[in-house]
Amino acid sequence: MIMEAKSDKKITIEAKTYCKLGHFHLLLEDFPKAKSAYEKFFREQKDNYWKDLPFMYGLGLAYFHFNAFKWAVRLFQEVLYRDQFFSRSKEVHVRLGIIFKACPWLGSAHKQFLLALNDGSTASLTENQIRFHIAHLNDVQGKPKVAKVLYEKLLPQQDLGPQLRADIYRNLGWLHHSEDSFGDKLYREQVAIHCFQKSLDSEPRSGHSLYLLGRCYASLGKVHDAFLAYRNSVDKSEGNADTWCSIGVLYQQQNQPLDALQAYICAVQLDKYHSAAWTNLGILYEAVSQQPRDALACYVNASRGRNKMNGNLKEKIKFLQKSLAGAPKQEAIVKVRQLPVIEEAWNLPISADMATRAQNFKHESQSMKKFKVEAVEKIHDEVPHSKPPTPYSPPFSPNFSDQELSAWLGEKNLTEDINFDELDFEFNNNFESTPSGSDSPPQFTIALGSKELVENAAGMGLKGVSNTSIQADGAPPPSVPELPRPSLSTEQLLPQTPSVFMENRKDAFSRELQEFCLQHPIAVVRGMASALKLDLGLFSTKTLVEANPDHSIEVRTQFQQPSDENWDNGYRSWNCVSTRNHTTIANYAKYQAFSFQESVREENERANEKNSDSDSKDSLSRKKLKKNPKQIRFGTNVDLSDERKWRTQLSELGKLPAFTRVVSAGNLLSHVGHVILGMNTVQLYMKVPGSRTPGHQENNNFCSININIGPGDCEWFAVPDAYWGGVQMLCERHGLNYLQGSWWPNLDDLYAEKIPVYRFLQKPGDLVWVNSGCVHWVQAIGWCNNVAWNVGPLTARQYQLAIDRYEWNKLQHFKSIVPMIHLSWNLARNIHISEIGRASCRERV
């Protein structure tokens, strides 16, 4: 009976115990148990887990180990948000840099490695290793000369270690092999061969360096030396599909098709998604052996690779499918084949033996693998080579069970092609799980003297500042909002755009107009220019050229596409591709005029064609834009802030109502105290049809004003601010950075997530009011100019949304353009808030 009584007694385990248990298992490198213990702590502390920085750091390391990058990023960012001087802050920056490099969000990765380099705490990477990552980032970002200088600066260091020295020489060698600007081919290949040999001196067992050395010999036509290097590479690392693919290329060039076939089969057995090997195998079957059915099978497999399908490959597949549709089956044709069919080739003795050895190699690699990480190495192949997939992560949920995580990781190999270097990790000896701020903080009262104030503030962070957050004390880190519930119906996903027509100046200056604009996510004020008698001709291209022809203008080179579609290399995509350059207003005006004249000529040619109607024209036009998109240039960010140059234009905008003016006492941005180009100054945009402003929210969620000068129209798309979290989620799903990426949403994707979209045309003279936080993207339908700037209504909602975005930007390590802390102090100095909540301005001496 006593035993039974004891067994019925409930045992209570303190939540903190699970966290310490997680730390213990993490130090033992038992990641599944560490993750399990951390998640039990999370379930006990759902509302306050973010106060325990060591917990978030430890769970972030566990998720990092399982390649659950999205979860790891969120936890690491929250650690730095809560305490930028966290004892392991340098390690956090390193991990974030590696994750962003693999994603690849190269700009963010570069920033994190620079922050790690300037951090005085300890980390698992040495300073030289961090500098190597920075050099490699410049390499993959298309800055070979900068990368070369950084690599060469590292080589004289005595404490590099053989592995890092080998990596530096290998990357330097590949730079010389692939970069034409480094000199003539013979010189570059000789330097590259020297670098690869030095790399092998430091790391004799490097199959990768041997493979690249073989590529250099092959480029010089030294076939025998290339074969030796490739075979040595195979001996060192049999699991390299690239090496076998290159061996196949050499055999094919030497007219040895059967040997080439076996090499390609080895490559695709090692990596079934190796597009280059499948494509080369298809070429071998088609051109050498004249076996179109086998060639088609290979091309189809190549199209399933990790890369987007090459347009030529897509056309080749269509051609072969059409050609073979009515042809007799291959078995019915009595013909001596030069090569075995693909099914037979797969089971050739050498291929079967190679497959077995490859499986053994992979098994050994997995059993020996420890906690490793490295960035993707840059390799160019004879045909486009497969890249590592963009890491995909499910929604953040520390409640994910071990079984679910294992099953998910089995389906999504997040870093399949990434080679890893060992990284050690460690905790401080006194790594206690104490919630941030659990020690009694110094007391600050109005009665403190200056001496006591300084003493109490001592040691509270950088120069006495413990936290730059302007959120309420004890507030959790900012997070992406969930989509509003309940979900909208199909009809509600296409809301009518709020619009109002201005007939006279009295309507434009009415209080009702301001309230109308503030009540909606976006609003169109029709006829504003004519109601106020604005002289839009002052902003026409002709006037701009006459006023300041040599004024600088940024130019974005884009592809002309239908406004509701976005294509990238023949695929529907969110990635909005553009390149940046600069010219003058006069030069862009010539391009704008030429574009119009060319369009008129094409229109006249189409009008002369027989049996053509408007519907067929539109259909043909869409097909043409998809197949052969036309390059266009968009003139953007023309700065009109200089009153000496643009006094007439800026004075004309003074006719607008106070709540829409660039400078106004009731505009928060007028209290910043300095110029923020494009926000509290006017910018102009010069457009041709198809010019795109990609999706975005305005800086720090401020409102914006946009007036179409004409003569053409612009088409707008907008999503209410309550749904920005859904748009951000879709950006991540497509491998794009919401804050820094260039993206053009797919309407079908938005509707599938029950996200409503406003869609409307902006005519010449129309003013578009974009309310706080509204997500929007714009495309020019005709030739037109636009002027735009930001405003900040003196409302609690505008101020709160600006603060929220300031804190979110800080969490994401994205610099806010509006200095909200500085602005808040200026508002406190300049604005008097009455008891009934109305704001009025007063001068201070």
Side-chain angles (χ1 to χ4, degrees):
M1 296 297 294
I2 295 176
M3 293 293 290
E4 291 178 5
K6 286 184 178 180
S7 63
D8 292 339
K9 186 176 180 181
K10 185 177 181 181
I11 299 176
T12 303
I13 299 177
E14 188 180 358
K16 194 174 181 180
T17 303
Y18 290 120
C19 190
K20 290 184 176 181
L21 187 62
H23 297 335
F24 175 75
H25 285 303
L26 194 64
L27 289 169
L28 294 177
E29 299 186 26
D30 191 343
F31 294 100
K33 289 183 179 179
K35 170 185 160 294
S36 178
Y38 283 137
E39 289 178 351
K40 286 179 181 177
F41 173 78
F42 174 82
R43 285 190 284 271
E44 297 288 334
Q45 298 288 324
K46 281 185 178 180
D47 297 329
N48 296 308
Y49 78 92
W50 49 271
K51 295 181 179 179
D52 195 319
L53 301 187
F55 157 73
M56 291 194 292
Y57 175 67
L59 184 55
L61 290 177
Y63 283 145
F64 183 96
H65 172 78
F66 289 113
N67 295 334
F69 290 159
K70 180 177 179 179
W71 305 350
V73 166
R74 174 172 171 176
L75 288 164
F76 287 150
Q77 287 179 336
E78 287 185 359
V79 167
L80 295 176
Y81 175 83
R82 293 288 302 166
D83 183 6
Q84 58 181 318
F85 305 107
F86 180 61
S87 60
R88 300 290 291 171
S89 58
K90 185 171 187 174
E91 182 68 19
V92 173
H93 287 305
V94 165
R95 303 283 171 145
L96 285 173
I98 290 168
I99 291 172
F100 291 149
K101 192 176 180 184
C103 279
W105 295 341
L106 303 182
S108 298
H110 189 267
K111 182 175 182 179
Q112 291 298 329
F113 284 125
L114 286 176
L115 289 170
L117 203 58
N118 295 322
D119 194 308
S121 60
T122 59
S124 52
L125 287 185
T126 65
E127 284 201 6
N128 286 332
Q129 288 173 318
I130 295 172
R131 293 182 189 278
F132 170 77
H133 277 286
I134 293 173
H136 186 243
L137 279 169
N138 281 280
D139 186 355
V140 297
Q141 284 180 298
K143 303 174 182 176
K145 293 182 179 178
V146 176
K148 179 175 177 288
V149 170
L150 294 176
Y151 284 140
E152 290 173 345
K153 281 185 178 179
L154 280 170
L155 286 175
Q157 303 296 324
Q158 298 299 318
D159 56 345
L160 285 180
Q163 177 67 56
L164 184 56
R165 189 175 297 277
D167 291 341
I168 294 170
Y169 272 119
R170 180 168 59 241
N171 285 15
L172 264 176
W174 188 252
L175 266 179
H176 282 89
H177 169 78
S178 58
E179 190 57 45
D180 294 339
S181 62
F182 285 2
D184 64 86
K185 181 179 179 180
L186 181 60
Y187 167 77
R188 289 188 292 105
E189 295 295 358
Q190 288 174 344
V191 175
I193 290 171
H194 171 75
C195 289
F196 290 135
Q197 289 171 340
K198 294 288 287 185
S199 176
L200 289 167
D201 290 342
S202 296
E203 188 189 7
R205 295 189 57 79
S206 173
H208 194 190
S209 294
L210 283 164
Y211 162 68
L212 296 177
L213 180 62
R215 292 285 298 274
C216 290
Y217 284 135
S219 178
L220 291 174
K222 297 181 178 180
V223 178
H224 178 71
D225 292 335
F227 269 120
L228 286 178
Y230 288 149
R231 294 304 305 184
N232 287 334
S233 174
V234 170
D235 293 339
K236 298 292 190 298
S237 56
E238 292 176 346
N240 193 331
D242 293 328
T243 304
W244 282 105
C245 182
S246 294
I247 291 174
V249 171
L250 273 184
Y251 276 131
Q252 193 167 347
Q253 291 173 346
Q254 297 302 307
N255 294 320
Q256 296 175 248
L258 186 58
D259 293 329
L261 172 76
Q262 291 177 334
Y264 290 140
I265 291 294
C266 287
V268 297
Q269 285 182 340
L270 289 167
D271 180 3
K272 64 181 179 180
Y273 296 111
H274 201 288
S275 298
W278 280 118
T279 303
N280 289 343
L281 187 55
I283 293 171
L284 186 69
Y285 272 123
E286 184 183 17
V288 177
S289 191
Q290 297 182 2
Q291 296 172 229
R293 293 188 186 278
D294 293 308
L296 177 60
C298 294
Y299 291 144
V300 170
N301 284 332
S303 70
R304 295 170 182 162
R306 300 180 192 91
N307 277 350
K308 292 180 179 178
M309 196 194 312
N310 182 280
N312 295 331
L313 181 60
K314 190 174 182 180
E315 293 299 319
K316 174 66 74 175
I317 291 173
K318 288 182 178 179
F319 172 77
L320 286 176
Q321 287 174 336
K322 186 177 179 180
S323 301
L324 294 171
K329 289 189 177 181
Q330 195 167 358
E331 290 81 358
I333 302 175
V334 180
K335 180 181 178 181
V336 178
R337 294 190 301 264
Q338 187 173 353
L339 295 174
V341 296
I342 187 68
E343 293 83 1
E344 296 174 4
W346 195 268
N347 296 315
L348 286 174
I350 186 173
S351 300
D353 177 62
M354 194 58 221
T356 304
R357 293 163 70 189
Q359 290 299 322
N360 293 336
F361 177 82
K362 287 183 177 180
H363 178 73
E364 292 171 8
S365 299
Q366 290 172 356
S367 64
M368 294 172 61
K369 181 178 176 182
K370 289 181 68 178
F371 190 51
K372 302 177 179 181
V373 135
E374 187 190 65
V376 184
E377 299 209 351
K378 180 184 178 184
I379 297 180
H380 300 285
D381 217 327
E382 287 84 1
V383 297
H385 182 270
S386 57
K387 296 179 182 177
T390 300
Y392 166 81
S393 301
F396 176 82
S397 172
N399 293 315
F400 214 56
S401 69
D402 290 334
Q403 293 79 6
E404 291 172 318
L405 184 60
S406 298
W408 172 73
L409 290 173
E411 296 173 359
K412 301 286 183 182
N413 190 357
L414 302 185
T415 52
E416 187 171 341
D417 281 353
I418 301 181
N419 296 322
F420 292 94
D421 274 339
E422 288 195 10
L423 272 184
D424 297 325
F425 62 92
E426 59 184 68
F427 292 108
N428 293 338
N429 293 331
N430 59 347
F431 193 73
E432 278 296 317
S433 177
T434 48
S436 177
S438 61
D439 297 335
S440 57
Q443 298 298 315
F444 295 95
T445 68
I446 196 69
L448 283 179
S450 59
K451 184 177 180 180
E452 291 83 357
L453 181 63
V454 171
E455 289 176 352
N456 283 3
M460 291 187 63
L462 184 62
K463 296 182 180 178
V465 179
S466 61
N467 191 0
T468 58
S469 173
I470 44 181
Q471 294 276 45
D473 290 340
S479 59
V480 179
E482 295 182 357
L483 290 174
R485 292 289 181 263
S487 299
L488 301 179
S489 64
T490 303
E491 293 75 18
Q492 291 173 316
L493 296 177
L494 299 168
Q496 186 175 358
T497 303
S499 61
V500 59
F501 186 79
M502 294 292 100
E503 294 184 353
N504 51 54
R505 189 175 184 276
K506 181 180 179 181
D507 292 341
F509 277 78
S510 65
R511 178 74 179 178
E512 289 76 14
L513 177 60
Q514 181 176 359
E515 292 175 353
F516 175 83
C517 291
L518 291 173
Q519 288 171 1
H520 298 97
I522 196 165
V524 189
V525 184
R526 306 281 185 194
M528 176 66 95
S530 59
L532 297 177
K533 295 182 171 54
L534 290 177
D535 184 3
L536 298 183
L538 293 173
F539 300 92
S540 67
T541 300
K542 181 175 180 295
T543 305
L544 296 173
V545 171
E546 292 172 351
N548 293 287
D550 297 326
H551 193 73
S552 178
I553 175 174
E554 180 182 324
V555 176
R556 290 281 180 172
T557 302
Q558 303 173 332
F559 289 102
Q560 188 178 26
Q561 306 184 63
S563 61
D564 56 353
E565 298 178 5
N566 187 62
W567 296 82
D568 183 13
N569 292 325
Y571 288 87
R572 292 290 290 267
S573 171
W574 276 52
N575 185 32
C576 189
V577 179
S578 69
T579 55
R580 185 170 65 173
N581 214 320
H582 290 84
T583 186
T584 62
I585 286 179
N587 287 336
Y588 188 83
K590 293 176 183 177
Y591 165 74
Q592 205 175 34
F594 173 77
S595 170
F596 178 75
Q597 293 166 359
E598 186 181 32
S599 178
V600 170
R601 179 181 57 79
E602 291 176 355
E603 192 67 31
N604 291 336
E605 290 177 356
R606 283 198 298 266
N608 294 331
E609 292 178 359
K610 297 179 180 180
N611 301 322
S612 62
D613 54 66
S614 59
D615 292 336
S616 63
K617 285 179 186 176
D618 182 67
S619 175
L620 288 171
S621 176
R622 279 180 171 265
K623 288 181 180 178
K624 183 178 179 182
L625 287 176
K626 291 179 188 178
K627 188 173 181 180
N628 297 306
K630 178 183 177 182
Q631 269 198 349
I632 58 171
R633 294 198 286 273
F634 170 28
T636 182
N637 298 337
V638 184
D639 176 27
L640 303 187
S641 63
D642 192 338
E643 292 187 6
R644 295 170 299 175
K645 291 183 177 182
W646 309 106
R647 182 178 301 276
T648 306
Q649 285 77 10
L650 297 177
S651 298
E652 193 67 16
L653 297 178
K655 296 179 180 179
L656 291 167
F659 79 97
T660 64
R661 289 177 193 162
V662 185
V663 179
S664 168
N667 180 356
L668 291 175
L669 293 171
S670 296
H671 296 272
V672 172
H674 64 265
V675 168
I676 305 177
L677 292 177
M679 292 200 70
N680 56 11
T681 66
V682 180
Q683 283 190 333
L684 179 132
Y685 304 87
M686 305 175 73
K687 304 177 181 180
V688 298
S691 297
R692 287 183 163 182
T693 300
H696 66 287
Q697 289 175 292
E698 295 296 321
N699 292 313
N700 287 93
N701 281 336
F702 278 89
C703 302
S704 74
I705 304 292
N706 187 296
I707 300 175
N708 185 6
I709 305 303
D713 299 340
C714 288
E715 186 169 15
W716 285 67
F717 302 84
V719 170
D721 69 284
Y723 292 85
W724 80 265
V727 181
Q728 191 266 353
M729 175 266 296
L730 287 170
C731 282
E732 285 199 347
R733 187 179 297 174
H734 288 84
L736 296 168
N737 188 300
Y738 179 77
L739 290 176
Q740 302 180 63
S742 178
W743 41 271
W744 191 266
N746 184 330
L747 296 181
D748 292 335
D749 291 345
L750 297 176
Y751 296 147
E753 296 294 334
K754 303 300 181 183
I755 298 174
V757 182
Y758 293 99
R759 184 176 182 177
F760 60 92
L761 288 181
Q762 179 193 25
K763 302 285 186 181
D766 289 350
L767 181 148
V768 173
W769 167 275
V770 181
N771 212 341
S772 308
C774 178
V775 186
H776 57 286
W777 54 103
V778 188
Q779 176 159 319
I781 303 301
W783 292 262
C784 60
N785 293 346
N786 290 67
V787 287
W789 59 92
N790 291 101
V791 294
L794 276 173
T795 64
R797 180 176 183 272
Q798 172 64 86
Y799 182 71
Q800 185 61 53
L801 286 176
I803 287 176
D804 291 344
R805 181 44 54 93
Y806 175 82
E807 296 296 327
W808 169 255
N809 288 348
K810 186 164 60 175
L811 179 70
Q812 300 295 317
H813 292 93
F814 182 78
K815 185 174 179 60
S816 292
I817 293 180
V818 182
M820 288 305 300
I821 296 178
H822 173 75
L823 175 59
S824 297
W825 283 110
N826 281 356
L827 291 175
R829 182 187 303 114
N830 300 336
I831 306 296
H832 172 69
I833 308 297
S834 66
E835 291 182 2
I836 59 175
R838 294 184 177 180
S840 62
C841 295
R842 59 190 177 94
E843 292 185 3
R844 290 286 183 90
V845 179

